Amino acid sequence: MSTSSQNKQGFHPRIDSLQKSRKASRENSRPRKRLVSQNDAYLFALRVAYLSYLLQPRVRRTQPAPAAPKALQRSSSSIHDLMKDFSLLRDSKSTKFPHGFMAELEKRLTGVIMGRERAPEFHDPAIKRSFAAFLNAFMEQGFKKRMEKDRRVEDLVLIFYSNATKELQKGKTPGDDSWKFLADRHLALFIRLISLILKEGDWSRDRPELSSRLATLESKLLTNDKDLAADSRSGSATGSTVEVVVPLSFEVKDMPLVQVVARIFHLTYVQVQSDIDKHRSVWTAKAALQDLKTYQTLLNLNSRKTLRSDDFDLEEGYEAWKKSEAPDLAQMIMVIVQSSPELAKSSFNHNAPQFNANVSGSDASDSGYSGSSRKMSMSEASSYVIDQPVDMSAIIPSETSPPVFDREEDAFTFVPSDTRAYYRVILSQALSYDLQDENLQASEATAETPALKLLSKQSTELLNEICLRWRLPYVSRIILFLDVIREKFLEQEISLDTLDAAFTFIKEPLPDNKKDGNFMSLLLFDRTKWTLQDYALNQQILASLHEALLRDLYDVAQQCYEQKPPSVGSILYVLEHHIYNDPNFSRSPEDIAAFTTQLQEGLREKAFALYKEYLAKYLPQDQESWQFFDVIELGKAVVTLAQRIQKRYRKNPEIMGANPLTALVETMLPLYSEDARDIVERILHLSAAKGEEVPVEDGFDLYQELVEIRRIHAEALPNIPFAFHIEDLLADFVWRWIKLTESTIIAWVDGAVKQDEFKVRISTPGLPPADSERHSVSVIDIFTSFNQTIDRVVQLNWDNDLQYAKFMTALAKVVGNGIAHYCEIIEQKFAKEMDRLTPEQEASTTLSRQEKWMQLAKDAWNNREKIELFQFFPESFVKLNNIEFAVRQLDKLEKEVNVDACIDVIEKNTPPLSHRQRKVNNYVFTIKVVEAEDLKACDTNGFSDPYVVLADEYQKRLAKTRIIYSSLNPRWDETVDITTQGPLNIIATVWDWDALGDHDYVGRTSIKLDPSHFSDFMPREYWLDLDTQGRLLLRVSMEGERDDIQFYFGKAFRTLKRTERDMTRKVTDKLSAYINHCLSRRALKSLLSRGISISSVSSYFNRNRPQQAFQAPTQAEITDALKPLFTYFDDNFAIMNQTLTRESMIMVMTRLWKEVLVTIESLVVPALSDKPSQQRQLNQQELDIVFKWLQLLFDFFHAVDEETKEENGVPLDILQSPKYFDIKILNFFYFDSTDSLIRTSERMASATAARQQTQRNRLSAPAALTSMPFGGAAGLLGTPSHRKSKSIMLSRNLGTMRKAKEDKRKEAQADPNDDMILRILRMRPEAERYLRDRSRQKERLAAAAAAEMIVRQSIMAGGGRMTGSLPRR
């Protein structure tokens, strides 16, 4: 059966049977192993060391020669001693010739023979003859081919020496030995030629060892040559010196290996010397030779005293071992005979063995001994090794009958009866000594292995001598070495690194001989050539080490949770690479699984014990002392440990299948989660019992720690739920924090405003400030506070979307309250600055009442009109910039909060509207004071300066409008929000502002705000008659205040925009007086009067004269009429531009443009009403001037650069507003007849009714409701307005506000009305009746639309009746 098939079926079937019977096959043929005493092991080690001393090469020395000269004797065999440096390293690559050397040598040899070599020493004829003889032998094909293959130095040198000797012997008499001395010189010159070839071919650099050995050999040969030359030159009959062999001293000081034996057995040299002297007569070279002959005889007879075929699993393994023994025995016998030649003469009747060039040395390499000696020592071979193929047939005894011994010990002198047992004791002794030797140099550290100490060089040489003398196979030595290592590891005499180094040491190839090293490795891993005993012992070693390593692994793994635990990597490495990878080791999956289970359970127990230590460390014994901080610290300790273990075992998370992190989290996290819940509940209960509150920040810190632990718990234990819902337990801390923020938000705003100087923040002096620098620090501070407030909740990463959405809703309300308060403060400061007295008014305060009246009469008599620039404060414009900045910041905040997502979450987790009844407690009424008509004149000039004050029934002021100067039909268009929980009576009082004395009473009216009357949430317009004369127009709408994040953001946005609008209006009000002055009928009359002269006036009274045509004003005159206004605008804009941002500047200019449009509109037509107006209609010439003014003002506000065509003013889409187009279309109807205007109005009304009917049909409204009559109830409720209400929900961010504005623009363009025609008809007395009828018609249509909306909302709400529920968005 082949080896491969043996491997497939499993090694050593006989070993299995041996293990079952627990008997070895050798037990039947050899005695049982007995215990070896230390003294017996010492004596046998001493014998081998002493024998090594006897067989070492003899040292030579020179001494004075006697008077009578003696011919110098040289033996040709001395060349073998000279070549020993090469023969011992015959397979080393560094001592072989390089490839291509033989061809170069052939060329140089030919050059020497032809006389072309430059060196003079090669010109001797005798040299040429010797070289020629060698060249002839070298050119033989067989020899040349072998040399090119082996490239061995010793073969080439010996062949040259042999041929040179034959050439020099020619012509010499048999007794003439002079040729022998010339042979050394010729060989030296041959060596020199080889060195020159290596050097010139640049091969010496790669083979420094070969060059060194060649130089040494040459020097030795030339030394002999010098001695010969000196003797021949002297011609004297007497010599001066002679070289003699130094006799052996037989003293321990000259025996290196004996000294090693003394050291490892802890004996003195005197004791060892005594033992040597005692056994000197027995421990001889002859006895050693006899041991070899006896061993050889027993080997041939297959005696039980040597290895037999029964000791091997396969016969081929035994044959391979036996075949390798013969050349090694021959070498050992050769050494003994060379050291004592008399043994060869006395023992046999044959000459000493001679060199046999035809004998192959391949068998010697298969023995496994010579290579092993180098393996163990990592140095030169021992002195007795002669690695030359020799013919030992002359002294090898033939196979005879086995010798008979009385006792087992009598078989050999130097070899014990149980070589394995004795060798193991000696090896253990040597290893123990070397491990304790402080002077022993450690091996060099590498990237894989640290610096370690095993056996010293001296101990290794001794062990090699013993192994070779006792014929221990290489594998046996390795197994016994591992057995000793195992024993010392179990006894804790060596570390795990030393154990790893020992395994690595026996597996690595030889560093100095690749061929032998590879062979030894093959021999080690080729288990078919092992003995059964080695195989069984190796299994025992692996099993024992495996058990010990698992114990160590378990112990080390139990320390894995410590701060600096020992590493398990080295243990796992040894197990994986040296135990499990060994084919002799059989690993049972059940055993490994059992160990993994045991280890995992041990880790859990360790984790549980460690958690108990944490509890004792971080949690006080007294429950009254428990704090959230203790829970946090305990959690941090658990998390830190888990993170440390995760990081520590990231690359290798498991230890033999057991996961330390899993064991830790499976044990600690459930325990901690349960304990944390109980501890937190206990802390909260104790705090409530004491009437105390746990600090909010402690709750936040605890939440973040618990969430982190829950995250780790979910990742590590996905199938095990966390012990409790953290958010439900700690949500109260967030609500407390929001409530605390709500209580302090007003103080934050007050503090920010108090510290603000409202100055532009200039970063680069000398340069105009950028827009980002034109707002002050207060608005930055409050929005920083808002962002920090929201970020505090966001940073919690609250893991309950519904609760988080509710938190954001509550915070939106807090932010809205803060913004409302900020707007209130800023607007108050702004109003105070804008309403301050002029210098003349301040001066008049010091005058008496009579002086004041005298000054007024004087100004009236002089018709003095003082139109001066208002001195705006930069701080006022900074406040306006702050509001504009706040709008942008709130819009950014609304996006960051993700309002829409919060609404979606709340709606998904809230029952639908049909399953719940929304209860509204607060209602927001939006009252817009639009205009007044026919007010009482309170001033001497026939006008009033009216303003409106809104108050509740308890006379608490709610709002106040601005002052409209010199008007009986003022238009305010100001809005105020009033929040109420039920019906509320609002009293509107109109006052006339007076610079002197008390303000005059103009009139009063009232309105009841009842939420039940606004259940349709539609806006209504109320014309309220004053108690004196005239009436007041209010537009009222209602919204239910909702606990809705969009509502709160919308309310905050609307507050900011209203504040911004009101502040902008206060700025423009300071300019509106001059606008009214420049665009008045008086200015128009003044412009037209410029074309009237004295002659033209007198012509009116002279009828006989022809009438002169009236000359209209030119375009230049019309333009010049507006130059004062343009200059006034430019001066004010220059002041504003220094402080206002571009966006605020555009906003002010836009508002001024609206003032311009309102002024021009009032100049052309009266306000919309159902009563006739006293205003006179303009003629064509006046109307043309007005429209030219409109175009000039349009171009002025558009401000297009003539060169670059860049728009620097108000954008075109703002300039072309619906009111602008309404004014433009006046030109088409202004001079139509009354009947034509009435017909046009009726057509427009019919078209509007048709569109509304179509829309109602599209919405599938009940037809019966379209004709529902409305009587007094409609009048009580007010007239529903066709205008859309500017609700809070439409103002929740800048996007919705822009969209609402765009929709309004599109609606105005798509649905034209007849309002402008009705305003023209007010100036036609004959249209009074039509105006009254048309007003009633509009009221009926609006009331029908409102009723229809109420019914539709009721149907959509799912009820059969009208309910008061607030519709959701």
Side-chain angles (χ1 to χ4, degrees):
M1 182 181 293
S2 65
T3 304
S4 61
S5 61
Q6 286 279 0
N7 292 339
K8 292 179 181 178
Q9 296 185 9
F11 286 125
H12 307 296
R14 294 172 58 190
I15 283 291
D16 299 335
S17 61
L18 287 173
Q19 291 178 341
K20 291 179 181 179
S21 61
R22 298 197 177 268
K23 293 183 180 180
S25 59
R26 269 188 161 182
E27 292 182 354
N28 298 326
S29 58
R30 60 172 57 183
R32 293 182 176 274
K33 183 187 298 185
R34 62 182 181 178
L35 295 177
V36 178
S37 66
Q38 185 174 351
N39 185 61
D40 292 342
Y42 153 70
L43 289 176
F44 274 99
L46 183 61
R47 297 180 196 189
V48 175
Y50 175 69
L51 179 60
S52 174
Y53 170 72
L54 295 177
L55 300 182
Q56 68 182 356
R58 300 295 187 264
V59 180
R60 298 175 182 271
R61 69 184 178 188
T62 58
Q63 62 182 18
K70 183 177 180 180
L72 185 61
Q73 299 294 327
R74 297 212 181 255
S75 173
S76 62
S77 63
S78 63
I79 188 63
H80 295 293
D81 292 334
L82 295 175
M83 292 302 298
K84 184 181 297 183
D85 288 344
F86 293 95
S87 62
L88 294 179
L89 298 172
R90 82 185 159 188
D91 288 332
S92 176
K93 179 180 178 181
S94 60
T95 57
K96 286 186 177 184
F97 290 122
H99 292 285
F101 176 80
M102 298 303 169
E104 188 65 26
L105 177 62
E106 182 181 347
K107 294 179 183 179
R108 297 296 289 271
L109 289 174
T110 304
V112 171
I113 297 172
M114 299 300 293
R116 293 196 300 265
E117 194 67 32
R118 297 177 182 178
E121 58 265 24
F122 292 102
H123 297 167
D124 188 355
I127 295 294
K128 294 181 179 181
R129 289 197 301 274
S130 297
F131 276 57
F134 169 72
L135 183 60
N136 291 333
F138 181 75
M139 295 303 294
E140 183 182 352
Q141 291 299 323
F143 178 76
K144 186 176 181 181
K145 185 176 181 181
R146 187 170 71 251
M147 287 305 303
E148 289 178 349
K149 178 181 179 182
D150 297 337
R151 299 179 282 114
R152 290 168 44 177
V153 177
E154 55 267 34
D155 293 347
L156 197 63
V157 171
L158 291 175
I159 293 300
F160 179 89
Y161 186 77
S162 176
N163 285 278
T165 300
K166 293 178 182 179
E167 183 64 30
L168 291 174
Q169 282 179 342
K170 294 180 180 180
K172 303 295 182 179
T173 60
D176 187 1
D177 293 337
S178 60
W179 60 270
K180 296 181 180 179
F181 309 114
L182 292 176
D184 290 346
R185 176 177 174 76
H186 290 190
L187 181 59
L189 292 176
F190 179 68
I191 298 298
R192 181 177 298 175
L193 181 64
I194 293 175
S195 299
L196 289 173
I197 295 173
L198 291 173
K199 183 176 181 181
E200 294 173 2
D202 201 21
W203 286 316
S204 60
R205 184 174 59 181
D206 297 334
R207 287 170 169 76
E209 186 175 357
L210 175 60
S211 300
S212 175
R213 293 181 184 274
L214 289 174
T216 302
L217 179 58
E218 180 185 350
S219 64
K220 291 180 180 179
L221 293 171
L222 289 179
T223 299
N224 295 335
D225 183 54
K226 291 176 183 178
D227 292 342
L228 293 173
D231 292 339
S232 62
R233 285 195 303 270
S234 65
S236 172
T238 61
S240 60
T241 59
V242 64
E243 188 180 65
V244 297
V245 176
V246 178
L248 296 175
S249 66
F250 297 101
E251 295 181 358
V252 174
K253 64 182 181 65
D254 296 328
M255 306 176 185
L257 293 185
V258 172
Q259 296 175 12
V260 175
V261 173
R263 286 198 298 271
I264 66 175
F265 283 96
H266 306 285
L267 298 175
T268 63
Y269 288 173
V270 176
Q271 293 173 313
V272 175
Q273 186 70 54
S274 174
D275 291 335
I276 290 176
D277 293 342
K278 180 179 179 181
H279 301 90
R280 180 175 171 182
S281 59
V282 179
W283 298 349
T284 62
K286 181 178 180 180
L289 182 60
Q290 183 61 41
D291 283 354
L292 291 176
K293 292 191 293 183
T294 302
Y295 177 80
Q296 201 164 28
T297 301
L298 296 175
L299 180 64
N300 292 333
L301 295 176
N302 198 21
S303 172
R304 63 185 180 85
K305 295 185 178 296
T306 63
L307 291 177
R308 298 188 302 172
S309 60
D310 293 342
D311 294 319
F312 292 86
D313 186 38
L314 299 176
E315 188 67 26
E316 60 186 45
Y318 169 71
E319 292 298 333
W321 169 80
K322 184 176 181 181
K323 182 180 179 181
S324 66
E325 285 291 273
D328 285 346
L329 291 174
Q331 290 184 30
M332 296 172 67
I333 293 173
M334 180 64 182
V335 171
I336 295 175
V337 171
Q338 284 184 345
S339 65
S340 301
E342 68 277 3
L343 293 179
K345 297 178 182 179
S346 62
S347 301
F348 309 98
N349 295 324
H350 300 281
N351 295 329
Q354 299 293 325
F355 174 80
N356 185 359
N358 295 326
V359 177
S360 173
S362 60
D363 290 341
S365 65
D366 292 341
S367 65
Y369 293 97
S370 60
S372 66
S373 67
R374 293 191 295 277
K375 174 68 179 179
M376 297 296 289
S377 65
M378 308 289 286
S379 63
E380 301 291 338
S382 301
S383 59
Y384 57 79
V385 177
I386 300 297
D387 202 4
Q388 289 290 330
V390 294
D391 185 4
M392 297 298 297
S393 60
I395 59 175
I396 296 176
S398 59
E399 187 172 323
T400 60
S401 59
V404 179
F405 306 101
D406 296 336
R407 294 183 309 164
E408 186 175 316
E409 290 80 357
D410 297 337
F412 303 98
T413 302
F414 292 92
V415 182
S417 58
D418 190 350
T419 56
R420 296 172 62 92
Y422 277 81
Y423 177 76
R424 189 185 185 284
V425 174
I426 298 170
L427 174 61
S428 176
Q429 197 72 21
L431 187 60
S432 298
Y433 176 80
D434 288 339
L435 291 174
Q436 298 175 1
D437 186 6
E438 297 180 355
N439 297 324
L440 176 62
Q441 293 184 352
S443 62
E444 294 185 2
T446 63
E448 291 80 14
T449 58
L452 298 170
K453 298 192 299 183
L454 286 175
L455 289 171
S456 64
K457 179 180 178 181
Q458 296 80 6
S459 299
T460 304
E461 290 181 354
L462 173 63
L463 295 173
N464 288 337
E465 289 286 341
I466 294 173
C467 290
L468 292 172
R469 185 61 52 191
W470 294 355
R471 309 310 301 151
L472 279 175
Y474 173 69
V475 174
S476 299
R477 302 183 209 178
I478 295 300
I479 298 302
L480 291 173
F481 174 73
L482 288 181
D483 191 32
V484 173
I485 289 292
R486 172 195 61 82
E487 180 183 22
K488 294 192 175 298
F489 178 73
L490 296 180
E491 295 176 358
Q492 299 183 355
E493 295 183 19
I494 61 175
S495 64
L496 185 64
D497 291 334
T498 306
L499 176 64
D500 175 40
F503 274 105
T504 304
F505 174 73
I506 65 175
K507 293 178 181 179
E508 290 180 348
L510 296 175
D512 58 345
N513 192 321
K514 187 174 181 180
K515 181 177 179 181
D516 282 353
N518 290 337
F519 170 75
M520 295 305 166
S521 297
L522 291 174
L523 184 62
L524 179 63
F525 291 102
D526 186 5
R527 308 301 168 97
T528 60
K529 296 182 180 180
W530 285 25
T531 65
L532 298 177
Q533 192 172 7
D534 288 336
Y535 194 91
L537 180 57
N538 186 42
Q539 284 187 327
Q540 295 176 9
I541 293 171
L542 295 176
S544 178
L545 285 176
H546 180 253
E547 183 179 355
L549 289 172
L550 287 185
R551 285 197 302 270
D552 291 349
L553 180 63
Y554 184 88
D555 295 338
V556 171
Q558 294 299 302
Q559 307 175 49
C560 68
Y561 300 135
E562 296 180 0
Q563 190 69 26
K564 294 183 178 180
S567 174
V568 299
S570 54
I571 301 178
L572 293 174
Y573 180 86
V574 172
L575 283 170
E576 187 65 30
H577 290 80
H578 302 316
I579 304 298
Y580 296 149
N581 285 350
D582 197 301
N584 279 14
F585 180 77
S586 58
R587 177 167 55 171
S588 171
E590 292 78 11
D591 294 341
I592 298 300
F595 175 77
T596 301
T597 303
Q598 182 181 6
L599 179 58
Q600 190 78 11
E601 188 60 32
L603 292 175
R604 291 192 183 96
E605 293 177 359
K606 188 68 177 178
F608 179 75
L610 188 59
Y611 179 75
K612 292 179 66 177
E613 294 178 6
Y614 282 176
L615 277 179
K617 179 179 179 181
Y618 295 105
L619 200 63
Q621 294 294 329
D622 183 15
Q623 294 187 7
E624 300 289 336
S625 303
W626 285 356
Q627 298 179 1
F628 280 3
F629 177 77
D630 303 325
V631 184
I632 294 173
E633 289 300 308
L634 178 60
K636 285 183 177 180
V638 173
V639 171
T640 302
L641 178 60
Q643 292 174 344
R644 185 169 69 242
I645 298 303
Q646 184 182 28
K647 181 179 179 181
R648 181 179 297 167
Y649 297 99
R650 179 178 291 112
K651 294 183 179 179
N652 300 303
E654 293 186 349
I655 303 175
M656 292 288 289
N659 193 312
L661 180 61
T662 301
L664 178 72
V665 297
E666 286 180 348
T667 303
M668 280 195 172
L669 293 186
L671 290 174
Y672 174 79
S673 62
E674 295 175 1
D675 290 346
R677 176 195 59 200
D678 298 339
I679 295 172
V680 170
E681 290 178 350
R682 183 60 178 170
I683 292 174
L684 294 176
H685 177 73
L686 292 175
S687 299
K690 296 178 182 178
E692 301 175 354
E693 287 186 342
V694 179
V696 173
E697 288 299 326
D698 290 353
F700 287 174
D701 294 341
L702 176 63
Y703 175 78
Q704 291 178 325
E705 189 64 32
L706 291 177
V707 166
E708 177 64 17
I709 294 177
R710 184 174 61 185
R711 181 189 64 79
I712 299 175
H713 186 283
E715 292 178 356
L717 308 172
N719 298 325
I720 301 177
F722 201 68
F724 66 102
H725 195 274
I726 305 173
E727 285 73 19
D728 290 344
L729 185 61
L730 300 179
D732 185 60
F733 287 91
V734 183
W735 288 117
R736 284 173 50 199
W737 185 80
I738 294 175
K739 187 179 295 183
L740 178 64
T741 304
E742 185 177 10
S743 64
T744 57
I745 193 71
I746 302 301
W748 290 357
V749 174
D750 290 339
V753 173
K754 185 177 181 180
Q755 297 176 4
D756 193 1
E757 297 179 354
F758 297 98
K759 292 183 178 180
V760 175
R761 297 171 295 110
I762 301 177
S763 59
T764 307
L767 295 178
D771 278 0
S772 59
E773 301 172 342
R774 298 193 176 203
H775 49 267
S776 61
V777 295
S778 62
V779 69
I780 298 176
D781 291 343
I782 65 170
F783 271 94
T784 301
S785 301
F786 294 159
N787 284 300
Q788 291 175 350
T789 300
I790 294 175
D791 288 343
R792 189 67 185 93
V793 176
V794 172
Q795 291 169 1
L796 291 176
N797 294 318
W798 200 262
D799 197 17
N800 185 305
D801 292 341
L802 179 60
Q803 291 180 348
Y804 177 80
K806 292 182 178 179
F807 294 157
M808 290 297 106
T809 301
L811 287 175
K813 182 179 180 180
V814 173
V815 170
N817 293 339
I819 289 176
H821 186 63
Y822 183 74
C823 290
E824 181 182 358
I825 297 177
I826 295 299
E827 193 169 9
Q828 288 176 359
K829 290 181 174 291
F830 185 83
K832 184 176 181 181
E833 294 167 355
M834 299 300 292
D835 295 340
R836 69 185 186 278
L837 299 176
T838 63
E840 291 81 359
Q841 292 173 340
E842 290 182 358
S844 65
T845 57
T846 60
L847 299 177
S848 63
R849 185 175 182 84
Q850 184 178 2
E851 291 174 338
K852 291 179 182 179
W853 282 109
M854 290 295 294
Q855 183 65 35
L856 288 175
K858 184 178 179 181
D859 291 339
W861 177 261
N862 295 328
N863 196 20
R864 180 180 176 184
E865 295 185 3
K866 297 180 180 179
I867 305 298
E868 298 179 357
L869 288 177
F870 183 78
Q871 298 299 322
F872 293 104
F873 288 162
E875 293 83 354
S876 301
F877 291 146
V878 170
K879 293 179 178 67
L880 183 57
N881 291 339
N882 285 356
I883 300 299
E884 180 266 327
F885 177 79
V887 172
R888 289 188 283 112
Q889 290 298 310
L890 184 62
D891 186 66
K892 180 180 177 182
L893 184 63
E894 192 260 355
K895 290 181 174 62
E896 292 176 350
V897 171
N898 199 352
V899 170
D900 293 337
C902 293
I903 286 294
D904 291 341
V905 170
I906 293 176
E907 289 181 349
K908 288 179 182 178
N909 292 273
T910 304
L913 188 62
S914 58
H915 297 159
R916 60 189 172 91
Q917 186 69 25
R918 184 182 182 92
K919 184 178 180 181
V920 179
N921 295 323
N922 295 331
Y923 300 91
V924 179
F925 281 93
T926 301
I927 302 176
K928 183 174 184 179
V929 181
V930 182
E931 61 181 335
E933 288 184 353
D934 299 332
L935 297 181
K936 181 179 69 173
C938 298
D939 296 335
T940 57
N941 58 1
F943 294 98
S944 295
D945 301 323
Y947 66 91
V948 180
V949 174
L950 298 180
D952 61 11
E953 54 193 356
Y954 302 105
Q955 300 300 316
K956 178 182 178 182
R957 177 180 288 192
L958 302 176
K960 173 181 174 294
T961 67
R962 72 187 191 282
I963 303 170
I964 304 298
Y965 295 96
S966 301
S967 177
L968 298 179
N969 299 290
R971 188 177 185 91
W972 292 279
D973 285 329
E974 292 191 21
T975 307
V976 62
D977 286 340
I978 298 175
T979 303
T980 180
Q981 294 182 348
L984 179 66
N985 290 319
I986 298 297
I987 300 173
T989 306
V990 184
W991 296 92
D992 170 58
W993 180 85
D994 286 331
L996 302 175
D998 297 332
H999 298 180
D1000 297 327
Y1001 175 80
V1002 177
R1004 178 180 290 114
T1005 187
S1006 65
I1007 183 174
K1008 182 177 182 180
L1009 302 180
D1010 191 346
S1012 62
H1013 296 165
F1014 290 84
S1015 58
D1016 57 349
F1017 304 103
M1018 293 293 293
R1020 285 175 168 76
E1021 290 184 350
Y1022 294 89
W1023 278 104
L1024 305 176
D1025 293 329
L1026 299 179
D1027 57 357
T1028 54
Q1029 76 174 57
R1031 58 180 181 172
L1032 179 67
L1033 177 60
L1034 299 181
R1035 184 176 295 125
V1036 183
S1037 63
M1038 186 197 75
E1039 286 185 87
E1041 189 171 75
R1042 301 163 52 180
D1043 188 18
D1044 188 307
I1045 188 171
Q1046 289 181 336
F1047 178 85
Y1048 293 132
F1049 268 103
K1051 188 175 181 180
F1053 267 110
R1054 192 163 71 170
T1055 301
L1056 284 171
K1057 294 302 290 184
R1058 283 182 178 175
T1059 303
E1060 184 181 59
R1061 183 189 60 200
D1062 292 344
M1063 292 173 67
T1064 304
R1065 180 174 287 168
K1066 287 184 181 297
V1067 173
T1068 58
D1069 282 349
K1070 298 301 179 182
L1071 310 179
S1072 61
Y1074 197 63
I1075 294 174
N1076 293 327
H1077 171 74
C1078 294
L1079 300 178
S1080 63
R1081 291 192 174 231
R1082 182 167 45 187
L1084 189 62
K1085 180 178 180 181
S1086 175
L1087 178 61
L1088 292 173
S1089 65
R1090 293 178 185 178
I1092 303 176
S1093 61
I1094 298 297
S1095 59
S1096 62
V1097 174
S1098 62
S1099 65
Y1100 286 112
F1101 300 96
N1102 192 350
R1103 298 182 178 179
N1104 298 324
R1105 272 185 163 181
Q1107 295 290 333
Q1108 296 181 359
F1110 177 75
Q1111 185 177 0
T1114 64
Q1115 182 65 36
E1117 291 175 337
I1118 295 173
T1119 304
D1120 291 341
L1122 290 183
K1123 278 187 177 180
L1125 179 61
F1126 291 155
T1127 303
Y1128 184 74
F1129 281 157
D1130 288 337
D1131 293 341
N1132 282 278
F1133 289 167
I1135 296 173
M1136 297 176 188
N1137 198 40
Q1138 294 177 0
T1139 308
L1140 289 177
T1141 63
R1142 174 167 176 76
E1143 188 168 348
S1144 297
M1145 189 69 189
I1146 295 297
M1147 184 169 55
V1148 171
M1149 293 177 66
T1150 301
R1151 184 63 200 173
L1152 278 176
W1153 171 247
K1154 291 181 179 179
E1155 290 288 340
V1156 168
L1157 292 180
V1158 169
T1159 303
I1160 291 179
E1161 183 185 45
S1162 62
L1163 183 64
V1164 177
V1165 293
L1168 183 64
S1169 175
D1170 59 347
K1171 296 179 180 181
S1173 173
Q1174 300 300 322
Q1175 182 173 334
R1176 178 183 63 84
Q1177 187 172 346
L1178 300 179
N1179 57 37
Q1180 183 66 53
Q1181 194 174 29
E1182 292 173 332
L1183 187 65
D1184 292 341
I1185 294 174
V1186 169
F1187 277 103
K1188 289 179 181 180
W1189 282 352
L1190 178 63
Q1191 186 61 43
L1192 290 173
L1193 289 166
F1194 183 93
D1195 296 337
F1196 176 81
F1197 278 93
H1198 197 197
V1200 177
D1201 193 305
E1202 295 181 357
E1203 296 180 358
T1204 62
K1205 303 302 179 182
E1206 181 182 0
E1207 297 180 1
N1208 299 316
V1210 181
L1212 190 63
D1213 59 333
I1214 297 178
L1215 290 175
Q1216 295 178 343
S1217 63
K1219 185 176 288 295
Y1220 173 78
F1221 286 111
D1222 288 343
I1223 296 175
K1224 295 287 285 185
I1225 65 173
L1226 280 174
N1227 205 18
F1228 297 99
F1229 303 105
Y1230 199 73
F1231 295 106
D1232 283 357
S1233 64
T1234 302
D1235 294 338
S1236 176
L1237 291 176
I1238 291 174
R1239 287 194 297 271
T1240 303
S1241 174
E1242 290 175 344
R1243 285 197 301 269
M1244 287 186 177
S1246 300
T1248 301
R1251 282 194 301 270
Q1252 293 178 354
Q1253 182 64 40
T1254 303
Q1255 184 177 7
R1256 285 195 293 270
N1257 294 336
R1258 185 169 61 249
L1259 295 176
S1260 301
L1265 294 175
T1266 60
S1267 59
M1268 180 179 293
F1270 277 77
L1276 290 175
L1277 292 174
T1279 304
S1281 173
H1282 65 280
R1283 299 175 181 267
K1284 283 190 175 180
S1285 172
K1286 294 181 180 179
S1287 66
I1288 291 177
M1289 299 305 293
L1290 294 178
S1291 306
R1292 61 181 182 271
N1293 55 43
L1294 289 179
T1296 57
M1297 294 170 71
R1298 295 190 188 101
K1299 186 176 183 300
K1301 186 177 293 186
E1302 184 64 25
D1303 292 343
K1304 179 181 178 182
R1305 178 188 297 272
K1306 292 180 179 179
E1307 182 181 356
Q1309 294 175 352
D1311 189 15
N1313 54 61
D1314 59 342
D1315 288 352
M1316 296 305 293
I1317 296 178
L1318 295 177
R1319 296 175 72 174
I1320 296 174
L1321 289 175
R1322 284 195 65 196
M1323 296 183 293
R1324 310 285 179 89
E1326 62 272 17
E1328 179 179 0
R1329 183 176 180 181
Y1330 177 76
L1331 289 174
R1332 186 169 55 253
D1333 295 340
R1334 180 75 177 95
S1335 176
R1336 293 174 181 176
Q1337 181 186 11
K1338 292 175 66 174
E1339 291 178 2
R1340 288 195 299 270
L1341 290 175
E1348 181 182 359
M1349 180 63 68
I1350 294 173
V1351 174
R1352 184 181 298 116
Q1353 289 180 354
S1354 177
I1355 294 174
M1356 292 178 63
R1361 56 189 177 86
M1362 299 182 186
T1363 61
S1365 302
L1366 291 176
R1368 288 186 60 82
R1369 184 178 59 86

